[in-house]
Amino acid sequence: MDDATVIKAPAVDSYREELFDSFFKALPENFKPCDIASQVRAAYDFAYSAHYGVFRRCGEKIPYITHPVAVALIVANEIGLGVSSVVAALLHDVVEDCDYTHDDIQQLFGESIANIVDGLTKITNVYDAKHNAQSETFKKMLLSIPQDSRVSFIKIADRLHNMRTMDEMPDGTRQIKAGENLYVYVPIAEQLGLYDIKNELEDTSFKYTHPLQYQQVVKDVTEVLNGRTDILASFKLNLLKVLLRTGITTRLAVVNKSYFQIWSSMRETGNTVDQVAGAETVRVIFDPPAGADEQSIVTAHYNIYATIISNFPERSDSKRDYVINPKKNGFKALVFQVMFKGHWIEVQVITSDNDQVAHRGYSSSSPTRTGLDKLKNNLKDFDKDQDAVALLNRFRSLSLLSTIFVFTPKGSIVELPTGATVLDFAYAIHTRLGNHCLGAHIDQKIVPINHVLKTTEQVTVLTSPSVKPSQDWLNFVKSERAKSCLDKYFKRNAKADRSDVIKGKQDFNKLLRDNRIIPNLLLIGRLLSYYKLPNNEEFYRMIATNDIKIDDLLKNIRNIKQILDGTTQRTSDEVLSNKRKPQSVVEINYKKPLNITKDMAYVLSPCCCPIAGDDAVCHLDEEGILYIHRRDCVKAHQLIAINGKQTTKVLWDENLDNMMASVNIQGTDRIGLIKDMAEVFEKNNVSVKQMLITENDGIFSGTVQIAVRNTQELDTIIESLRGVNGIVKVNRTFVRPISG
């Protein structure tokens, strides 16, 4: 119970009945039969009594029972689950927060509902840094999906209602919840096809993590959409006239991007709000004739598409066919862009059933959730013994993958992630086929196991009994099934003692401490590359067995650190060798911002390259190293979601040393351009650390690495560069060039 406090309550019997009446009236009609209604009433009465005298921490004295009631309504109305799920939603906090057990719930409501409630109960008996309660609870939820997906649906409903009532909660709590949303709940909701809920979770998280940017995007989008109202209305009218010629009954709906999507797109592409939000989607929704087969429905999509593009110019290469190749969550539509009065407008041709799928993952006439089926299939190969953080990261990478379709020798379709290899295909067919895969036969050619497959290729796997998996195979595979099969194989056949890995890591960390070195995020990666090792474990094992000599290792660390000089605010030696004043002992309180000062030892993370003035968070890891990330960094989302209580907001002191920032510059080349750019840097008293410029046919692009005090100084330099003749585009980048 994250948002509750106990207060002695007055007698509220009348309130009990009023609340139930309003709750029951809001349920769909399929909950009205007496036998179902009695189950719902029993669960409501039990939850009401269990939470009696408890109020929510939402700024007003709202009885806590309103929360499970609201979650149950989301489960029924917005997700579309049945009576067992609604009953479990009403009871979802009873075991965690009240004096009831799993056995109590089982005795009263049956084993199925008791198991769902158990799946919804947080893990609280984990205290060590590597296995914190947050990550273990998320792992528990993910691994429950193949067995009973209702747990994840109710969890999402629970989180959705919490975000709808989050305004009065402390800022630290809001930041943690928003981080959990973006890293865990949003990818799950998207894969389940719960697009409306996914968008709302994104936008509420955006609202709390970046309030100023959120307000600006809302303001700008509103202005853009208001300015395009007449154009959109005119387009819809003209489109309806054109659609009448098809003889197919259609209706139109406008679907706008979420604020978070618009903001993300602006950051990725450098486009303005007008360019992003301007491409509103007009959805052409039609009902296929009764009894129409699949081929007829596909033909109807293309007939509508052909009619539209014959009357409105189509944007080249804009068509995406999700009818033949649906998205992982089941979305099926023809998507393309057309020109109308100087504006590109996106159009989606979709059946009424698939329009429902696009909103909530299933339709009333076809209740099968395609996205859920695929998610179950992917998660069933996850190793339940895998570290929780590694499992979450693997799930995240899985959720970001697009797919291809290849064929077996007999013509069966196999769906694989984009970039999948012959090895992925072999493991998709059978584990034994993968473990002995020698290569494959494709288009009358023999290809190796790391050959990257393309859609529509027909693959015949070649095997040999003498072939066995090796560690480098992990570099060739993309699919979860292949990774899982390899992980299990290596666990079964592991000969090395884990104690070597533990000892080697301890020796390595002691070496760093004795020599007053803070490990840079890139340091171990460079060491692995130098020693040509596949992973950290092999590195630590070789230290423990003295295959890597400590003296040689220290010498190499120092050499690598010289190469990496400039990739953090100060080098590790400079930070730790400051004997004039002691280093600050850092303690993290997620409820309070941490002020970053000159005498603190910290690492500016190269994954997002923060500088003073950025909206940033800091994280204290298990070895006491303080890392700073921009708040919009994916790694920051992960840290907040998985270990939020060791992560907090950053406040920047005014007297910090200069920090490294990278600026991307594009334009038309001319004589004297570099000189004019140099004058901008000199005028602003900025030191240029590195400049990489390339030119092709009179067009140049490049990156300049400069040392600046803060974001305000960086913005001034960027604005000045934009005024240089020939420079077309200037923007900050978040990939820092590495010298040497």
Side-chain angles (χ1 to χ4, degrees):
M1 187 187 301
D2 294 323
D3 59 347
T5 185
V6 177
I7 300 174
K8 186 175 180 180
V12 284
D13 286 348
S14 60
Y15 179 76
R16 176 200 294 250
E17 297 308 316
E18 290 170 6
L19 180 62
F20 180 78
D21 287 345
S22 62
F23 162 60
F24 193 69
K25 286 177 183 176
L27 289 171
E29 286 302 311
N30 58 309
F31 285 84
K32 306 307 180 182
C34 292
D35 57 333
I36 295 176
S38 62
Q39 293 180 59
V40 173
R41 179 71 207 218
Y44 171 84
D45 286 340
F46 185 82
Y48 190 95
S49 298
H51 295 300
Y52 184 82
V54 182
F55 288 77
R56 302 196 74 207
R57 294 188 190 129
C58 296
E60 300 178 27
K61 291 184 178 180
I62 301 173
Y64 190 80
I65 185 62
T66 58
H67 171 64
V69 164
V71 172
L73 286 175
I74 293 171
V75 166
N77 294 326
E78 299 182 52
I79 298 180
L81 300 184
V83 63
S84 295
S85 299
V86 168
V87 167
L90 288 168
L91 303 173
H92 78 271
D93 277 333
V94 166
V95 172
E96 184 176 312
D97 301 328
C98 308
D99 295 327
Y100 292 98
T101 65
H102 175 275
D103 290 341
D104 295 329
I105 303 300
Q106 181 173 338
Q107 185 175 355
L108 291 167
F109 299 98
E111 183 178 3
S112 176
I113 289 172
N115 288 339
I116 298 173
V117 173
D118 181 64
L120 293 163
T121 302
K122 291 179 184 176
I123 293 174
T124 57
N125 58 343
V126 178
Y127 300 102
D128 61 283
K130 291 185 179 179
H131 299 90
N132 63 77
Q134 271 180 298
S135 59
E136 293 294 335
T137 298
F138 292 139
K139 173 183 174 179
K140 177 183 176 183
M141 176 178 66
L142 283 173
L143 293 180
S144 74
I145 291 175
Q147 283 72 45
D148 196 331
S149 59
R150 292 173 292 185
V151 171
S152 60
F153 283 111
I154 299 170
K155 276 278 193 183
I156 288 172
D158 178 38
R159 177 49 56 92
L160 182 63
H161 182 250
N162 280 332
M163 296 309 294
R164 287 173 176 175
T165 56
M166 192 62 69
D167 281 347
E168 301 301 323
M169 296 298 289
D171 183 61
T173 300
R174 293 195 307 227
Q175 298 298 333
I176 289 177
K177 298 303 179 189
E180 292 173 350
N181 290 346
L182 295 174
Y183 202 76
V184 180
Y185 288 104
V186 164
I188 293 176
E190 182 170 23
Q191 291 198 54
L192 292 174
L194 302 173
Y195 259 102
D196 290 349
I197 290 176
K198 171 241 178 196
N199 289 342
E200 186 174 344
L201 286 175
E202 282 182 335
D203 278 350
T204 50
S205 301
F206 180 27
K207 171 184 172 183
Y208 294 126
T209 54
H210 300 87
L212 296 180
Q213 293 93 325
Y214 174 80
Q215 292 170 14
Q216 188 62 49
V217 169
V218 171
K219 177 177 176 291
D220 292 346
V221 168
T222 302
E223 290 176 358
V224 167
L225 295 182
N226 287 343
R228 290 170 58 88
T229 301
D230 292 342
I231 291 173
L232 198 60
S234 178
F235 173 71
K236 288 166 64 180
L237 181 62
N238 281 270
L239 181 59
L240 282 171
K241 291 177 181 177
V242 166
L243 291 171
L244 286 173
R245 302 172 196 168
T246 65
I248 301 173
T249 302
T250 59
R251 60 185 175 88
L252 304 182
V254 176
V255 181
N256 291 314
K257 296 180 176 71
S258 71
Y259 297 123
F260 181 82
Q261 288 173 309
I262 292 168
W263 178 67
S264 298
S265 180
M266 289 169 60
R267 292 178 62 249
E268 291 169 8
T269 64
N271 290 336
T272 64
V273 168
D274 184 36
Q275 292 168 318
V276 176
E280 298 96 335
T281 296
V282 175
R283 195 167 277 175
V284 179
I285 305 166
F286 71 98
D287 290 310
D293 60 17
E294 191 64 30
Q295 185 57 50
S296 299
I297 295 173
V298 172
T299 301
H301 281 88
Y302 273 91
N303 286 341
I304 295 171
Y305 162 73
T307 301
I308 294 172
I309 65 169
S310 65
N311 288 273
F312 302 95
E314 182 185 16
R315 190 172 200 164
S316 61
D317 300 324
S318 69
K319 183 165 72 70
R320 286 158 286 165
D321 190 343
Y322 299 121
V323 177
I324 302 299
N325 297 314
K327 289 188 176 183
K328 287 186 289 186
N329 55 24
F331 177 80
K332 296 175 71 172
L334 270 180
V335 182
F336 54 97
Q337 292 183 19
V338 297
M339 173 66 73
F340 182 74
K341 295 185 178 180
H343 296 276
W344 291 113
I345 298 176
E346 184 173 277
V347 178
Q348 295 179 355
V349 179
I350 191 168
T351 66
S352 54
D353 272 2
N354 284 322
D355 178 55
Q356 292 180 47
V357 172
H359 285 289
R360 56 183 187 177
Y362 78 101
S363 69
S364 52
S365 62
S366 179
T368 301
R369 297 178 186 264
T370 305
L372 173 60
D373 291 342
K374 291 190 176 182
L375 183 57
K376 280 183 175 181
N377 190 53
N378 287 324
L379 289 174
K380 73 181 182 183
D381 292 322
F382 276 43
D383 183 359
K384 69 178 187 307
D385 296 323
Q386 187 176 17
D387 172 75
V389 175
L391 185 142
L392 284 170
N393 290 339
R394 182 170 281 190
F395 167 73
R396 278 277 305 177
S397 64
L398 172 70
S399 67
L400 298 173
L401 293 175
S402 56
T403 56
I404 60 170
F405 298 89
V406 293
F407 296 91
T408 67
K410 294 183 178 180
S412 299
I413 296 176
V414 177
E415 184 178 2
L416 294 169
T418 301
T421 62
V422 166
L423 207 50
D424 288 291
F425 178 85
Y427 277 114
I429 303 303
H430 197 281
T431 303
R432 188 169 57 252
L433 206 62
N435 286 342
H436 299 289
C437 181
L438 180 66
H441 201 261
I442 301 175
D443 296 333
Q444 300 181 346
K445 294 180 181 178
I446 296 176
V447 297
I449 60 173
N450 62 347
H451 172 80
V452 177
L453 300 174
K454 299 175 184 176
T455 289
T456 72
E457 284 185 328
Q458 191 168 38
V459 184
T460 302
V461 176
L462 305 175
T463 62
S464 169
S466 63
V467 172
K468 294 180 182 179
S470 63
Q471 285 285 346
D472 64 338
W473 282 20
L474 288 168
N475 299 322
F476 304 151
V477 294
K478 291 284 187 181
S479 66
E480 274 312 308
R481 174 165 174 75
K483 291 176 185 176
S484 177
C485 290
L486 287 170
D487 285 345
K488 290 174 182 176
Y489 177 87
F490 294 135
K491 280 184 180 180
R492 286 195 307 269
N493 294 276
K495 296 179 181 178
D497 191 336
R498 282 284 301 171
S499 62
D500 282 349
V501 176
I502 295 169
K503 181 181 182 303
K505 185 174 182 180
Q506 291 171 343
D507 292 345
F508 177 69
N509 289 331
K510 182 177 185 299
L511 177 68
L512 298 181
R513 286 195 303 272
D514 290 348
N515 289 277
R516 307 176 70 81
I517 297 171
I518 291 179
N520 185 277
L521 289 177
L522 299 175
L523 178 61
I524 293 181
R526 289 295 181 94
L527 287 169
L528 293 181
S529 177
Y530 176 82
Y531 287 110
K532 296 181 172 57
L533 296 173
N535 53 51
N536 292 10
E537 289 200 357
E538 286 300 311
F539 174 63
Y540 295 139
R541 186 174 286 118
M542 290 186 71
I543 293 173
T545 56
N546 210 30
D547 290 325
I548 294 178
K549 308 292 184 186
I550 288 293
D551 290 344
D552 290 340
L553 177 59
L554 180 59
K555 186 187 301 182
N556 289 325
I557 288 172
R558 286 174 171 161
N559 290 338
I560 290 170
K561 284 182 79 291
Q562 288 180 357
I563 294 174
L564 297 178
D565 187 19
T567 63
T568 60
Q569 177 259 351
R570 292 170 284 176
T571 66
S572 303
D573 285 336
E574 288 172 334
V575 171
L576 288 178
S577 63
N578 183 358
K579 298 179 181 178
R580 290 173 296 174
K581 46 188 172 181
Q583 300 300 321
S584 298
V585 178
V586 176
E587 292 184 1
I588 293 289
N589 181 344
Y590 74 97
K591 296 181 180 179
K592 296 179 181 179
L594 180 67
N595 191 42
I596 301 300
T597 61
K598 204 169 187 177
D599 65 330
M600 294 171 63
Y602 57 88
V603 177
L604 296 171
S605 301
C607 55
C608 56
C609 309
I611 62 174
D614 275 330
D615 184 8
V617 297
C618 56
H619 173 76
L620 192 67
D621 76 356
E622 62 196 55
E623 296 176 355
I625 301 170
L626 186 70
Y627 292 102
I628 300 177
H629 295 263
R630 285 170 53 91
R631 189 186 294 279
D632 53 13
C633 174
V634 172
K635 181 66 175 178
H637 295 161
Q638 176 197 3
L639 291 171
I640 294 170
I642 292 172
N643 203 356
K645 293 194 176 179
Q646 288 299 312
T647 308
T648 192
K649 182 179 180 180
V650 160
L651 296 178
W652 301 96
D653 193 79
E654 292 183 0
N655 298 314
L656 295 170
D657 291 340
N658 284 351
M659 303 179 183
M660 295 300 147
S662 292
V663 178
N664 179 262
I665 304 174
Q666 300 175 35
T668 54
D669 196 19
R670 63 174 176 83
I671 296 174
L673 179 66
I674 300 296
K675 174 177 173 293
D676 291 347
M677 289 168 55
E679 288 179 356
V680 169
F681 298 129
E682 184 179 359
K683 180 181 177 181
N684 288 278
N685 196 29
V686 167
S687 172
V688 177
K689 298 297 184 182
Q690 188 183 68
M691 181 181 290
L692 301 172
I693 302 288
T694 59
E695 183 270 341
N696 186 25
D697 293 334
I699 304 298
F700 81 90
S701 65
T703 302
V704 182
Q705 186 182 14
I706 57 178
V708 294
R709 289 193 302 273
N710 50 41
T711 53
Q712 184 177 358
E713 183 174 77
L714 179 61
D715 290 342
T716 299
I717 294 162
I718 288 175
E719 201 56 42
S720 299
L721 287 171
R722 285 174 177 157
V724 173
N725 181 31
I727 292 181
V728 176
K729 189 174 183 180
V730 186
N731 60 283
R732 179 182 173 188
T733 64
F734 302 101
V735 177
R736 183 181 284 119
I738 304 299
S739 58

